[in-house]
Amino acid sequence: MSTQQLGKSEDQLQELSQALDQGISSPVKRMLNSLSAADTAHLIESSPPKIRSLLWQLLDKEQEAEVLQELSDDVRQYYLDQMNAAEVAEITTGFDPDDLVDLLQQLPDAITQQVLSSMDAQDRARVEHILSYPEDTAGGLMNTDTITIRPNNPLDVVLRYLRRHDELPAMTDSLLVVNRQDAFIGVLPINKLLTTNPSITVREVMNTDIEPINAMTPASQVAQLFERQDLVSAPVIDDDGKLLGRITIDDVVDVIREEADHSLMSMAGLEDDEDTFAPAMKTAKRRAVWLGINLITAFVASAFIGMFQETIDKVVALAVLMPIVASMGGIAGSQTLTLVIRAMALGQIGKSNTFWLLNRECIVGLVNGLIWALVVSGVAYVWFGDGIISTVIAAAMIINLVVAVISGAALPIILKTLKIDPALAGGVILTTVTDVVGYISFLGLATLFLT
Amino acid sequence: MSTQQLGKSEDQLQELSQALDQGISSPVKRMLNSLSAADTAHLIESSPPKIRSLLWQLLDKEQEAEVLQELSDDVRQYYLDQMNAAEVAEITTGFDPDDLVDLLQQLPDAITQQVLSSMDAQDRARVEHILSYPEDTAGGLMNTDTITIRPNNPLDVVLRYLRRHDELPAMTDSLLVVNRQDAFIGVLPINKLLTTNPSITVREVMNTDIEPINAMTPASQVAQLFERQDLVSAPVIDDDGKLLGRITIDDVVDVIREEADHSLMSMAGLEDDEDTFAPAMKTAKRRAVWLGINLITAFVASAFIGMFQETIDKVVALAVLMPIVASMGGIAGSQTLTLVIRAMALGQIGKSNTFWLLNRECIVGLVNGLIWALVVSGVAYVWFGDGIISTVIAAAMIINLVVAVISGAALPIILKTLKIDPALAGGVILTTVTDVVGYISFLGLATLFLT
């Protein structure tokens, strides 16, 4: 696809919807045939449900299979749900084992078993092997289409061996060197193969500094490894050092994209791969849960305000100013929370620097608390002309900002220890803390000094 | 680096800080020498300022140069600020042009000019050429270390030509085919070179379906192209079709990481590459600005509450319940905002589907408004035993949730048209809208029906 076409995808979509509205499907079919599977998948993901299903109907079986591989989980699930085992088996013939595994993991066990039983023995063994590793480990990411060579061959033998292939597996930037027991011993980069005297043996030029990845390594660590070392592919081994397969950068890019999206989406209570154009009722149902959780925290905050009804009844200005203290705490806390969640995703937070970080945040909270307390109390004084109210709001602001930033730094670290996803739960808990502390400190101090 | 070492980076950091605390630098130096530049950069980024500068002092000149390339912009800036032009020139000798350009873009113009003038003519021409493209375009991402071949040569000539190189540029998965005018005409994948009969010419096997990337293409589109087509490298051309260089996946991975981080960090008013362990005063200063902006919006909301002081004075329960309406609107709105911002980053939003999306959100807001209005009014009735209050809060909740989700969907689209970053400004504006609408609808209706 050209970059021009990329820019045009909006226009394409508009043309398509017009054509579909008019019931003219032949130009649409022509357009679909000219697009790559990845672009068709993008077009489907960018379409509302009605157009989406019309587009899908216009695809032939072969296109369906290719597009299915490119769709995001949420949208793919929709199409998979409409297929039976025989249809899934038919459509997935010819998939790479790792792509097939991605898809099977989305299916009910019964259908997975039926699809597996329709495969030939060798393919089934491969797929079952990858399926035995959790989705978010190196084993779940790997593919088994590796080209392995022996160390004692000269390079011209390797070259002749390669020439017997019709093509090499995608992203083959190196050949994997194994011994007779299939244990991994090194890699021969293709670029070295091309620039070295062909009479030299593999053993002499292979790279043995590459550390293979254990199959149980978490996907996020694999992504960090690829990012730090600028890898295109990397070998995967089992606990005994036996070569199992290799991971390629295209699958790692998906991990990086999903991981980065995870923090953003979870903090708003959304799924990582939330379908942008899901139907209204499905969307409403998913979001209702998150709103319900937040309603509980809002009621908690209100309950604390309720404790000070008498004070508010006497000085109504407090009701006007109280959201300011709570809101500033929420903002300051979520800045720290976001920073720490990102740092944790990058593997930057450990025992040795947690204390420093908490201490730093404490200072930051104090400094910003002092600055904005001054401003707020000044404005409050001009507004309500009451020295006590303006002193009370200043004190409450400092207290809440310090509590907010310390909570923002400590919460994700505590939640991670408890194996709770900080990106999902952190924001809700933090807002409850900053609301409650904000209202209690402001209304509590006001009760002490104003009544 | 092994995956074991990855898991150990925390322990390493702790060992390091202990050793440094005790003033023992020789074991630390040994450890630093055993780490790759990328791992050392990660260690520095994970360290508080004191340890950071001790670590830096222990690096020799050559290590400094390598580590500098791996550091994130914010941390790198700190070290660059301490160097003069001669030092920068010395340390950057041997950098790839594209890495050098990344670094020069962070320096004041005067220093950049001095560094450029210290380079030899050919290198300077290359660097200046890349510098002429904006950082966030294909031209700014590209490298000029391409291997080009002519179409009429047979493959064995190409193989002999490659063998004359000591090594090929990193991530060379294909050779670029150009005509006599240096115009790009196709690519010869290395894997095809290895599996095809060597007597066949380049012209017969080269792939001419690859569309080259124009140098002015935005980096985000380049990233989408690499992701959708699973590319390792891609050719870059100028407007006349002349080959300028190539982009490799390692640089694209950085773009993907930065883009994904951008939405997350901007929504909290943080820089994309914010230094997790920046000193307290620097952090406080940066965050103060964001808090100040939010303080203005908090005062705007308070001003609207202030309009209803009389009503609150009569029915103090309103002060207790009013934050619930505002808070639920904020949550519902930010869910939609996050979804749309992510969808825009993925290139899914265009004219043809905006109306559908707004309409869908309207239904979602209405459905969730109704559900939670029922719950809230029930709880409010049990709490305060007042039918009018519980009816008023239900109505306000529905109004605010519908306004919130429509604003959440429309705001980023409007901001983007105005060339304002939706991730940065969207949240602040949205919260102002949901607060103001929340307070006005609740207190306004209460004023109408309760007083």
Side-chain angles (χ1 to χ4, degrees):
Chain A
M1 186 178 68
S2 76
T3 51
Q4 281 70 32
Q5 277 177 316
L6 258 175
K8 269 191 210 159
S9 75
E10 261 182 45
D11 303 338
Q12 273 180 343
L13 203 56
Q14 204 161 11
E15 269 177 57
L16 273 179
S17 32
Q18 278 168 5
L20 288 169
D21 279 347
Q22 295 158 17
I24 314 165
S25 62
S26 56
V28 180
K29 210 167 155 63
R30 261 202 306 281
M31 190 188 284
L32 283 180
N33 282 328
S34 75
L35 290 178
S36 72
D39 293 335
T40 307
H42 181 248
L43 203 60
I44 288 177
E45 285 172 3
S46 307
S47 300
K50 206 184 89 188
I51 297 182
R52 202 177 265 184
S53 53
L54 285 172
L55 286 174
W56 187 257
Q57 284 165 20
L58 291 175
L59 298 178
D60 56 41
K61 281 279 165 229
E62 200 183 319
Q63 279 179 311
E64 274 185 18
E66 285 174 15
V67 170
L68 208 58
Q69 289 182 68
E70 304 287 342
L71 287 174
S72 67
D73 288 358
D74 208 11
V75 179
R76 181 160 61 187
Q77 188 73 58
Y78 172 77
Y79 292 112
L80 287 178
D81 286 347
Q82 299 173 339
M83 297 183 193
N84 60 34
E87 283 169 324
V88 174
E90 191 197 332
I91 211 169
T92 56
T93 318
F95 271 35
D96 280 341
D98 67 331
D99 291 330
L100 181 55
V101 166
D102 283 352
L103 196 141
L104 290 180
Q105 275 155 340
Q106 284 190 264
L107 292 170
D109 276 349
I111 295 193
T112 302
Q113 289 312 322
Q114 277 181 270
V115 173
L116 284 174
S117 63
S118 73
M119 298 171 69
D120 70 44
Q122 194 194 353
D123 284 348
R124 186 168 65 214
R126 282 185 178 182
V127 167
E128 280 178 334
H129 189 196
I130 305 182
L131 266 178
S132 71
Y133 294 101
E135 205 178 346
D136 57 350
T137 62
L141 279 177
M142 73 180 176
N143 210 334
T144 50
D145 58 350
T146 51
I147 297 194
T148 56
I149 52 174
R150 291 286 157 77
N152 294 332
N153 287 321
L155 298 186
D156 54 2
V157 172
V158 174
L159 284 167
R160 256 178 289 144
Y161 170 65
L162 292 182
R163 215 169 289 288
R164 286 211 302 271
H165 291 72
D166 284 335
E167 55 179 339
L168 305 185
M171 310 227 164
T172 298
D173 66 326
S174 51
L175 308 175
L176 304 177
V177 189
V178 293
N179 66 14
R180 282 176 201 283
Q181 286 76 45
D182 267 345
F184 171 81
I185 48 180
V187 304
L188 175 65
I190 294 278
N191 288 347
K192 211 150 193 174
L193 178 65
L194 287 169
T195 53
T196 310
N197 182 336
S199 61
I200 289 177
T201 64
V202 170
R203 181 179 298 280
E204 287 169 87
V205 291
M206 70 181 180
N207 182 349
T208 53
D209 285 339
I210 298 281
E211 295 261 4
I213 299 172
N214 186 290
M216 291 307 291
T217 306
S220 60
Q221 275 188 25
V222 173
Q224 284 181 30
L225 203 66
F226 269 73
E227 270 192 87
R228 283 195 215 153
Q229 317 235 315
D230 293 344
L231 301 175
V232 171
S233 73
V236 179
I237 54 165
D238 65 13
D239 289 337
D240 303 322
K242 211 186 122 192
L243 182 73
L244 298 176
R246 63 188 188 113
I247 297 176
T248 50
I249 183 73
D250 52 330
D251 293 322
V252 173
V253 165
D254 292 342
V255 172
I256 292 173
R257 171 70 79 184
E258 276 164 30
E259 278 214 333
D261 274 354
H262 174 77
S263 304
L264 175 72
M265 299 296 271
S266 296
M267 285 180 87
L270 300 166
E271 301 279 324
D272 304 1
D273 63 343
E274 189 98 9
D275 175 6
T276 310
F277 296 96
M281 290 320 286
K282 192 178 166 196
T283 308
K285 205 169 136 194
R286 281 197 178 177
R287 298 215 196 141
V289 180
W290 190 245
L291 286 168
I293 295 169
N294 277 281
L295 184 59
I296 296 171
T297 77
F299 269 121
V300 170
S302 286
F304 281 97
I305 301 174
M307 289 165 47
F308 301 98
Q309 277 189 65
E310 271 180 49
T311 313
I312 297 172
D313 213 6
K314 283 180 197 140
V315 191
V316 73
L318 298 177
V320 177
L321 292 172
M322 68 182 189
I324 294 175
V325 181
S327 139
M328 288 291 277
I331 297 290
S334 75
Q335 285 200 303
T336 311
L337 183 77
T338 306
L339 187 78
V340 173
I341 284 175
R342 213 264 318 229
M344 285 187 352
L346 297 178
Q348 290 180 339
I349 308 277
K351 272 178 230 156
S352 64
N353 51 27
T354 304
F355 180 74
W356 186 91
L357 200 66
L358 286 172
N359 190 44
R360 199 264 321 260
E361 287 302 320
C362 193
I363 300 172
V364 171
L366 211 55
V367 170
N368 273 321
L370 284 168
I371 295 172
W372 297 113
L374 268 175
V375 174
V376 168
S377 73
V379 176
Y381 187 79
V382 172
W383 195 348
F384 294 100
D386 184 323
I388 300 179
I389 289 182
S390 72
T391 313
V392 162
I393 198 170
M397 184 73 104
I398 296 171
I399 293 170
N400 203 24
L401 252 59
V402 172
V403 171
V405 291
I406 295 178
S407 311
L411 257 176
I413 296 170
I414 296 168
L415 288 173
K416 205 187 167 193
T417 318
L418 302 173
K419 310 233 179 272
I420 299 171
D421 179 7
L424 190 64
V428 180
I429 303 177
L430 180 76
T431 314
T432 314
V433 171
T434 53
D435 276 357
V436 169
V437 173
Y439 292 131
I440 289 188
S441 59
F442 180 54
L443 298 175
L445 288 172
T447 307
L448 280 179
F449 295 105
L450 278 172
T451 57
Chain B
M1 185 179 66
S2 76
T3 51
Q4 282 71 32
Q5 278 177 315
L6 259 176
K8 270 189 207 156
S9 75
E10 261 181 44
D11 303 339
Q12 273 180 345
L13 204 56
Q14 205 162 12
E15 268 177 56
L16 274 179
S17 33
Q18 277 167 7
L20 288 168
D21 279 346
Q22 294 159 19
I24 314 167
S25 61
S26 56
V28 180
K29 210 168 153 65
R30 262 201 306 280
M31 188 186 287
L32 283 180
N33 283 328
S34 75
L35 291 178
S36 72
D39 292 335
T40 307
H42 181 248
L43 205 59
I44 288 177
E45 284 171 3
S46 308
S47 300
K50 209 185 85 185
I51 298 183
R52 201 177 268 185
S53 54
L54 284 171
L55 286 174
W56 187 255
Q57 282 164 23
L58 291 175
L59 299 178
D60 55 39
K61 279 279 164 232
E62 200 182 318
Q63 281 179 308
E64 274 184 19
E66 285 175 13
V67 171
L68 209 57
Q69 290 182 65
E70 304 287 343
L71 287 173
S72 66
D73 287 358
D74 208 11
V75 179
R76 180 160 61 187
Q77 187 75 58
Y78 172 78
Y79 293 113
L80 287 178
D81 286 347
Q82 299 173 341
M83 296 182 193
N84 59 35
E87 284 170 322
V88 174
E90 192 195 331
I91 211 169
T92 55
T93 318
F95 272 34
D96 279 342
D98 67 333
D99 291 331
L100 181 56
V101 166
D102 283 351
L103 197 142
L104 290 179
Q105 274 155 341
Q106 283 190 266
L107 293 169
D109 276 349
I111 295 194
T112 301
Q113 288 312 322
Q114 277 181 270
V115 173
L116 284 174
S117 63
S118 72
M119 299 172 68
D120 70 42
Q122 194 193 355
D123 284 348
R124 186 169 64 216
R126 281 183 177 183
V127 168
E128 280 177 335
H129 188 196
I130 304 181
L131 266 178
S132 70
Y133 294 101
E135 206 177 346
D136 57 350
T137 62
L141 280 177
M142 74 180 174
N143 210 332
T144 50
D145 59 350
T146 50
I147 297 194
T148 55
I149 52 173
R150 290 286 157 78
N152 294 332
N153 287 320
L155 297 186
D156 55 0
V157 171
V158 174
L159 284 166
R160 258 179 287 143
Y161 169 67
L162 292 182
R163 216 170 287 290
R164 286 210 301 271
H165 290 74
D166 285 335
E167 55 179 340
L168 305 185
M171 311 223 162
T172 298
D173 67 325
S174 51
L175 308 175
L176 304 178
V177 189
V178 294
N179 65 14
R180 282 177 201 282
Q181 286 77 45
D182 267 344
F184 171 83
I185 47 179
V187 304
L188 175 65
I190 295 278
N191 288 348
K192 210 148 194 178
L193 177 64
L194 287 169
T195 52
T196 310
N197 181 338
S199 62
I200 289 177
T201 64
V202 169
R203 180 179 298 280
E204 287 169 86
V205 289
M206 70 181 181
N207 181 348
T208 52
D209 284 339
I210 298 281
E211 295 261 3
I213 299 172
N214 186 291
M216 292 307 291
T217 306
S220 59
Q221 274 188 24
V222 173
Q224 285 181 27
L225 203 65
F226 269 72
E227 271 191 86
R228 284 195 216 153
Q229 317 235 316
D230 294 343
L231 301 174
V232 170
S233 73
V236 179
I237 55 163
D238 65 13
D239 290 337
D240 304 322
K242 212 186 122 194
L243 182 73
L244 299 175
R246 63 188 188 116
I247 297 176
T248 52
I249 182 74
D250 52 329
D251 293 321
V252 173
V253 165
D254 292 342
V255 172
I256 292 173
R257 171 71 80 184
E258 277 164 30
E259 278 213 334
D261 274 353
H262 174 77
S263 304
L264 176 73
M265 300 297 271
S266 296
M267 284 180 88
L270 299 166
E271 300 279 323
D272 304 0
D273 63 344
E274 189 99 11
D275 175 6
T276 311
F277 296 95
M281 291 319 289
K282 191 178 165 196
T283 308
K285 205 169 135 194
R286 280 198 178 175
R287 299 215 196 139
V289 180
W290 190 245
L291 286 167
I293 294 168
N294 278 280
L295 184 59
I296 296 171
T297 76
F299 269 121
V300 170
S302 286
F304 282 97
I305 301 174
M307 287 165 46
F308 300 99
Q309 277 189 66
E310 269 180 53
T311 312
I312 296 172
D313 213 6
K314 282 181 198 142
V315 191
V316 74
L318 298 177
V320 177
L321 292 172
M322 69 182 186
I324 294 174
V325 181
S327 140
M328 288 292 276
I331 297 290
S334 75
Q335 284 201 302
T336 310
L337 183 75
T338 306
L339 187 78
V340 173
I341 284 175
R342 213 263 319 230
M344 284 186 353
L346 297 178
Q348 290 180 340
I349 307 277
K351 270 177 232 157
S352 64
N353 51 26
T354 304
F355 180 75
W356 186 91
L357 200 66
L358 286 172
N359 190 43
R360 200 266 317 263
E361 287 302 320
C362 193
I363 299 171
V364 171
L366 211 54
V367 171
N368 273 318
L370 283 168
I371 294 172
W372 297 111
L374 267 175
V375 175
V376 169
S377 72
V379 175
Y381 187 78
V382 172
W383 194 348
F384 294 100
D386 185 323
I388 299 178
I389 291 183
S390 71
T391 311
V392 162
I393 198 169
M397 185 74 105
I398 296 171
I399 293 170
N400 203 23
L401 252 59
V402 171
V403 172
V405 291
I406 294 178
S407 311
L411 258 176
I413 296 169
I414 295 169
L415 288 173
K416 205 186 167 192
T417 318
L418 302 173
K419 308 229 179 276
I420 299 170
D421 178 7
L424 191 64
V428 179
I429 302 176
L430 180 74
T431 314
T432 312
V433 170
T434 53
D435 277 357
V436 169
V437 173
Y439 293 131
I440 290 188
S441 59
F442 180 55
L443 298 175
L445 288 173
T447 307
L448 280 178
F449 294 105
L450 279 171
T451 57

Coordinates of all heavy atoms in Angstrom, one line a residue, chain B residues 270-301:
Chain B
L270 N 1.9 15.1 31.3 CA 3.4 14.8 31.4 C 4.0 14.7 30.0 O 3.3 14.5 29.0 CB 3.5 13.4 32.1 CG 3.0 13.3 33.5 CD1 2.9 11.8 33.9 CD2 3.9 14.1 34.5
E271 N 5.3 14.9 30.0 CA 6.1 14.7 28.7 C 6.1 13.2 28.3 O 6.2 12.4 29.2 CB 7.5 15.2 28.9 CG 7.6 16.6 29.3 CD 7.5 17.6 28.1 OE1 8.0 17.2 27.0 OE2 6.9 18.6 28.2
D272 N 6.2 12.9 27.0 CA 6.2 11.5 26.6 C 7.4 10.8 27.2 O 7.2 9.6 27.6 CB 6.5 11.4 25.0 CG 5.5 12.2 24.2 OD1 4.6 12.8 24.8 OD2 5.6 12.2 23.0
D273 N 8.5 11.4 27.3 CA 9.7 10.7 27.7 C 10.1 11.3 29.1 O 11.3 11.3 29.4 CB 10.8 10.8 26.7 CG 11.3 12.3 26.6 OD1 10.5 13.2 27.0 OD2 12.3 12.5 26.1
E274 N 9.2 11.7 29.9 CA 9.4 12.3 31.2 C 10.4 11.4 32.0 O 10.2 10.1 32.0 CB 8.1 12.3 32.0 CG 8.1 13.0 33.3 CD 7.6 14.5 33.2 OE1 7.0 14.8 32.2 OE2 7.8 15.2 34.2
D275 N 11.4 12.0 32.6 CA 12.4 11.2 33.3 C 11.8 10.8 34.7 O 11.4 11.7 35.5 CB 13.6 12.2 33.5 CG 14.7 11.5 34.4 OD1 14.5 10.4 34.8 OD2 15.7 12.2 34.7
T276 N 11.7 9.5 34.9 CA 11.0 9.0 36.2 C 11.8 9.5 37.4 O 11.2 9.8 38.4 CB 11.0 7.5 36.2 OG1 10.5 7.0 34.9 CG2 10.2 7.0 37.3
F277 N 13.1 9.6 37.3 CA 13.9 10.0 38.5 C 14.5 11.4 38.4 O 15.6 11.6 38.8 CB 15.0 8.9 38.7 CG 14.4 7.6 39.0 CD1 14.2 6.6 38.1 CD2 13.9 7.3 40.3 CE1 13.6 5.4 38.4 CE2 13.3 6.1 40.6 CZ 13.2 5.2 39.7
A278 N 13.7 12.3 37.8 CA 14.2 13.7 37.7 C 14.2 14.3 39.1 O 13.4 13.9 40.0 CB 13.2 14.5 36.8
P279 N 15.1 15.2 39.4 CA 15.2 15.8 40.7 C 13.9 16.5 41.1 O 13.1 16.9 40.3 CB 16.3 16.9 40.6 CG 17.0 16.6 39.4 CD 16.1 15.8 38.5
A280 N 13.6 16.6 42.4 CA 12.4 17.1 43.0 C 12.0 18.5 42.4 O 10.8 18.7 41.9 CB 12.4 17.2 44.5
M281 N 12.9 19.5 42.4 CA 12.5 20.8 42.0 C 12.2 20.9 40.5 O 11.3 21.6 40.1 CB 13.7 21.8 42.3 CG 13.9 22.0 43.8 SD 12.3 22.2 44.7 CE 11.8 23.8 44.2
K282 N 12.9 20.1 39.7 CA 12.6 20.1 38.2 C 11.2 19.5 38.0 O 10.4 20.0 37.2 CB 13.6 19.2 37.5 CG 13.6 19.3 36.0 CD 14.7 18.5 35.4 CE 14.5 18.3 33.9 NZ 15.3 17.2 33.3
T283 N 10.9 18.4 38.8 CA 9.6 17.8 38.7 C 8.5 18.7 39.1 O 7.5 18.8 38.4 CB 9.6 16.5 39.5 OG1 10.7 15.7 39.2 CG2 8.3 15.7 39.3
A284 N 8.7 19.4 40.3 CA 7.7 20.2 40.8 C 7.4 21.4 39.8 O 6.2 21.7 39.6 CB 8.2 20.8 42.1
K285 N 8.4 21.9 39.2 CA 8.2 23.0 38.3 C 7.4 22.6 37.1 O 6.4 23.3 36.7 CB 9.6 23.5 37.8 CG 9.7 24.9 37.3 CD 11.1 25.3 37.1 CE 11.3 26.1 35.8 NZ 12.8 26.2 35.5
R286 N 7.7 21.4 36.5 CA 7.0 20.9 35.3 C 5.5 20.7 35.7 O 4.6 21.0 34.9 CB 7.6 19.6 34.8 CG 8.8 19.8 34.0 CD 9.1 18.6 33.2 NE 10.2 18.7 32.4 CZ 10.7 17.7 31.6 NH1 10.2 16.6 31.6 NH2 11.8 18.0 30.9
R287 N 5.3 20.1 36.9 CA 3.9 19.7 37.2 C 3.1 20.9 37.6 O 1.9 20.9 37.5 CB 3.9 18.7 38.3 CG 4.6 17.4 37.9 CD 4.0 16.2 38.5 NE 5.0 15.1 38.4 CZ 5.2 14.2 39.3 NH1 4.5 14.3 40.4 NH2 6.1 13.3 39.1
A288 N 3.8 22.0 38.1 CA 3.0 23.1 38.6 C 2.2 23.7 37.5 O 1.0 24.1 37.7 CB 4.0 24.2 39.1
V289 N 2.7 23.8 36.3 CA 2.0 24.3 35.2 C 0.6 23.6 35.0 O -0.4 24.3 34.8 CB 2.8 24.2 33.9 CG1 2.1 24.9 32.7 CG2 4.2 24.9 34.0
W290 N 0.7 22.3 35.0 CA -0.5 21.5 34.7 C -1.5 21.7 35.9 O -2.7 21.9 35.6 CB -0.1 20.1 34.6 CG -1.2 19.1 34.2 CD1 -1.8 18.1 34.9 CD2 -1.8 19.1 32.9 NE1 -2.7 17.5 34.1 CE2 -2.8 18.1 32.9 CE3 -1.7 19.9 31.7 CZ2 -3.6 17.8 31.8 CZ3 -2.4 19.6 30.6 CH2 -3.4 18.6 30.7
L291 N -1.0 21.8 37.1 CA -1.9 22.0 38.2 C -2.5 23.4 38.1 O -3.7 23.6 38.4 CB -1.1 21.9 39.5 CG -0.7 20.5 39.9 CD1 0.3 20.5 41.1 CD2 -2.0 19.7 40.4
G292 N -1.8 24.4 37.7 CA -2.3 25.7 37.5 C -3.4 25.8 36.5 O -4.5 26.4 36.8
I293 N -3.2 25.1 35.4 CA -4.3 25.0 34.3 C -5.6 24.4 34.9 O -6.7 24.9 34.7 CB -3.8 24.2 33.1 CG1 -2.7 25.0 32.4 CG2 -5.0 24.0 32.1 CD1 -1.9 24.2 31.4
N294 N -5.4 23.3 35.7 CA -6.5 22.6 36.3 C -7.2 23.4 37.4 O -8.4 23.3 37.6 CB -6.1 21.3 36.8 CG -6.1 20.2 35.6 OD1 -7.1 19.7 35.2 ND2 -4.9 20.0 35.1
L295 N -6.4 24.3 38.0 CA -6.9 25.1 39.1 C -7.9 26.1 38.5 O -9.0 26.4 39.0 CB -5.8 25.9 39.8 CG -6.3 26.7 41.0 CD1 -7.0 25.9 42.0 CD2 -5.1 27.4 41.7
I296 N -7.6 26.6 37.3 CA -8.5 27.5 36.6 C -9.8 26.9 36.3 O -10.9 27.4 36.6 CB -7.9 28.1 35.3 CG1 -6.6 28.9 35.6 CG2 -8.9 28.9 34.5 CD1 -5.8 29.2 34.4
T297 N -9.8 25.6 35.8 CA -11.0 24.9 35.5 C -11.8 24.6 36.8 O -13.0 24.7 36.8 CB -10.8 23.6 34.8 OG1 -10.3 22.6 35.7 CG2 -9.8 23.8 33.7
A298 N -11.1 24.3 37.9 CA -11.8 24.1 39.2 C -12.5 25.3 39.7 O -13.6 25.3 40.2 CB -10.8 23.6 40.2
F299 N -11.8 26.5 39.5 CA -12.5 27.8 39.9 C -13.7 28.1 39.0 O -14.7 28.6 39.5 CB -11.5 28.9 39.8 CG -10.8 29.2 41.1 CD1 -9.4 29.1 41.2 CD2 -11.5 29.5 42.3 CE1 -8.7 29.3 42.4 CE2 -10.8 29.7 43.5 CZ -9.4 29.6 43.5
V300 N -13.6 27.7 37.7 CA -14.8 27.9 36.8 C -15.9 27.1 37.4 O -17.1 27.6 37.5 CB -14.4 27.5 35.4 CG1 -15.7 27.4 34.5 CG2 -13.4 28.4 34.8
A301 N -15.7 25.8 37.7 CA -16.8 25.0 38.2 C -17.3 25.6 39.5 O -18.5 25.6 39.7 CB -16.2 23.6 38.5

